[in-house]
Amino acid sequence: MTLWTAAEIAAATGGTATADFSVDGVAFDSREVGERDLFVALTGEHTDGHRFLDQAFAQGAGGAIVSQPCAQPAVQVRDTFAALEDLARAARARVSGKVIGVTGSVGKTSTKEALFAALDRAPGTRAHRSVKSYNNHTGVPLSLARMPADSDYAVLEMGMNHPGELAHLTTLVRPHVALVTAIAPAHTEFFPDEAAIADAKGEIFRGLEPGGTAIIPYESPHRDRLIEAAKPYAGRIVTFGLDRMADVGAGEAMVLRGGASFVNAQVGGRELNFTIAQPGRHWVSNALAVLAVADAVGADLALVGLALGELGGLPGRGARLDVAAGDGAAVVIDESYNANPASMRATLAVLAREPGRHVAVLGEMRELGDGSADFHAGLADDVVAARVETAVLVGQAMAPLAEALEGRIEFVHVPDAGQALDRLRALIRPGDAVLVKGSNGVGLSRLVSGLANGMT
């Protein structure tokens, strides 16, 4: 089904079509352009998308949005970024289905993917979601612009690292349901304290559609702050969490063999029993958030439970790989996409339940500001509690953790992912459980890829 025609793009953006064309997708990275995609030639401080028009059309682009004349079929506008936002607004305006906005310090992408799997499961239902972790000032409008007009549900992830960013993004998304997964130290370099982070996350409620639902973590110390932020905009406020007092709570949660969890959940006076395939207490919280959203949009909760039981790990966010180790294999838990103190602790707790010898490759956590040293050193007890026998610490900011672990476990401290991979290959053994986690900029995904090249 055609996503956009040249005439529709021109009408949405106020631009001029130089040719008649239609497209099935949208991209602003020329490397990701596929057959019949619309290429948006964004301009920035370091690059200009117009330089890659030939490449985009060689890869099959059906048309482009440009701000200067070109030989290819295009809609010419004054400002290509403004045009992308205009296209996003037009996409949102033509969708009559339920739109869900997701933010939080941790768990955004995992919960977004779980929601998509749950909502897309119903026969005849069409769900849409943000691509990858495209949740910033360009990723959100791109995800909206890619949204088919006949979507029954859309799950849009929204991130921020400065105050005011979500206030703008939520006006583009205009969610019927706005979810905050959790508040934790992340991007603290840009905020005076955690309460300020909660205030910035609470901006998501400002874009709620009239009568919309705000969903808030019950156990968060900032719960009441978030509730106050939601009150002027939400028709209904719902809490979720492991506490029975939450509107969507866990009556019981048990860890099963293999790390999965069995959950007895209470949802608006109803009881639902289901299994979560993904290991970890944080996934129980994610699942309860999914149930709260699904209930708010009227989805089939039984199908949601089935989806959670079948959900696999995402690359960089919990995927598990069997990799070559000596004359056998080891399991790698790939959490390489991102890290902050809360998510580090959660995944170390997952490692603690794994059989075999425990190895942890931990990359530095970035954007933590003046508290960085204390946040890193503060992980020492969690590393020991996870029964880590050997740790590979990556990056200069890991020095305080190295100091805190001195004499407690074996570890090496290296400057980059390349050296970490060399050290890991030398020490990994058959039967090991290896956790790989760090901020995305550390590049530990390359380490995981390097290990996977010898996958058994």
Side-chain angles (χ1 to χ4, degrees):
M1 182 176 181
T2 296
L3 183 64
W4 296 103
T5 65
E8 289 169 338
I9 297 166
T13 63
T16 302
T18 64
D20 186 23
F21 62 84
S22 60
V23 295
D24 300 331
V26 185
F28 56 62
D29 185 335
S30 60
R31 297 166 295 184
E32 297 182 358
V33 171
E35 196 70 27
R36 284 178 54 83
D37 273 354
L38 174 70
F39 175 58
V40 184
L42 297 180
T43 58
E45 293 182 9
H46 306 293
T47 188
D48 183 347
H50 296 85
R51 294 168 46 206
F52 304 99
L53 282 166
D54 289 343
Q55 177 184 337
F57 279 90
Q59 292 174 202
I65 293 179
V66 299
S67 58
Q68 54 190 253
C70 69
Q72 295 91 348
V75 172
Q76 187 168 340
V77 298
R78 179 172 297 181
D79 181 320
T80 54
F81 176 72
L84 177 61
E85 287 201 333
D86 287 339
L87 196 63
R89 292 186 184 94
R92 175 63 185 87
R94 68 183 185 177
V95 165
S96 59
K98 296 294 186 181
V99 178
I100 300 147
V102 180
T103 194
S105 301
V106 291
K108 292 188 296 295
T109 302
S110 298
T111 303
K112 177 257 297 182
E113 291 293 331
L115 271 168
F116 171 77
L119 297 174
D120 197 52
R121 189 180 182 97
T125 297
R126 185 167 187 175
H128 172 75
R129 71 192 186 284
S130 300
V131 182
K132 301 179 183 177
S133 295
Y134 282 9
N135 60 25
N136 64 5
H137 67 289
T138 52
V140 171
L142 175 70
S143 297
L144 281 165
R146 288 175 163 177
M147 181 168 58
D150 62 349
S151 297
D152 298 296
Y153 299 105
V155 189
L156 285 305
E157 179 180 342
M158 288 180 271
M160 63 88 206
N161 54 20
H162 290 86
E165 291 177 344
L166 276 180
H168 174 64
L169 294 178
T170 193
T171 63
L172 296 176
V173 174
R174 290 170 35 220
H176 297 94
V177 179
L179 164 67
V180 177
T181 58
I183 305 296
H187 310 299
T188 53
E189 179 181 355
F190 309 112
F191 295 93
D193 53 33
E194 200 171 279
I197 296 174
D199 290 341
K201 296 297 184 184
E203 292 172 11
I204 191 175
F205 304 129
R206 300 182 192 179
L208 274 169
E209 289 287 271
T213 302
I215 299 181
I216 291 168
Y218 183 85
E219 286 98 349
S220 172
H222 308 288
R223 176 191 66 211
D224 293 343
R225 197 178 193 95
L226 290 169
I227 288 173
E228 288 304 312
K231 279 181 178 178
Y233 308 101
R236 181 175 176 233
I237 298 174
V238 175
T239 60
F240 72 93
L242 300 173
D243 195 299
R244 291 173 180 264
M245 296 300 292
D247 297 317
V248 178
E252 185 178 14
M254 299 184 298
V255 179
L256 306 177
R257 181 174 295 180
S261 296
F262 171 81
V263 181
N264 167 253
Q266 313 298 322
V267 186
R270 291 161 292 165
E271 185 173 303
L272 181 68
N273 297 316
F274 63 97
T275 300
I276 306 168
Q278 292 302 301
R281 186 179 178 86
H282 60 295
W283 258 108
V284 178
S285 180
N286 290 348
L288 293 168
V290 169
L291 285 176
V293 173
D295 185 53
V297 298
D300 186 327
L301 297 188
L303 291 180
V304 173
L306 290 174
L308 290 168
E310 297 174 357
L311 193 67
L314 305 173
R317 300 180 183 276
R320 290 173 174 243
L321 309 172
D322 290 329
V323 304
D327 59 356
V331 63
V332 171
I333 304 169
D334 177 15
E335 287 277 356
S336 61
Y337 184 80
N338 213 345
N340 58 46
S343 63
M344 277 283 197
R345 291 191 173 93
T347 49
L348 282 165
V350 170
L351 179 64
R353 302 190 191 101
E354 294 293 320
R357 187 178 71 131
H358 294 174
V359 177
V361 181
L362 304 178
E364 62 186 18
M365 301 176 290
R366 298 184 174 177
E367 296 185 352
L368 293 180
D370 293 339
S372 178
D374 291 339
F375 283 128
H376 282 85
L379 295 175
D381 289 345
D382 299 276
V383 172
V384 173
R387 299 183 290 111
V388 174
E389 292 190 24
T390 303
V392 180
L393 308 180
V394 189
Q396 182 179 357
M398 273 294 176
L401 178 57
E403 183 177 349
L405 289 174
E406 192 71 47
R408 302 181 71 180
I409 67 167
E410 293 184 6
F411 69 86
V412 294
H413 185 197
V414 298
D416 55 50
Q419 292 192 38
L421 177 58
D422 292 339
R423 293 297 188 101
L424 186 59
R425 279 177 166 156
L427 64 87
I428 196 171
R429 303 174 190 166
D432 283 353
V434 183
L435 171 65
V436 181
K437 188 166 183 65
S439 286
N440 192 40
V442 180
L444 294 183
S445 60
R446 296 192 298 273
L447 178 146
V448 173
S449 296
L451 291 174
N453 287 336
M455 189 184 300
T456 58

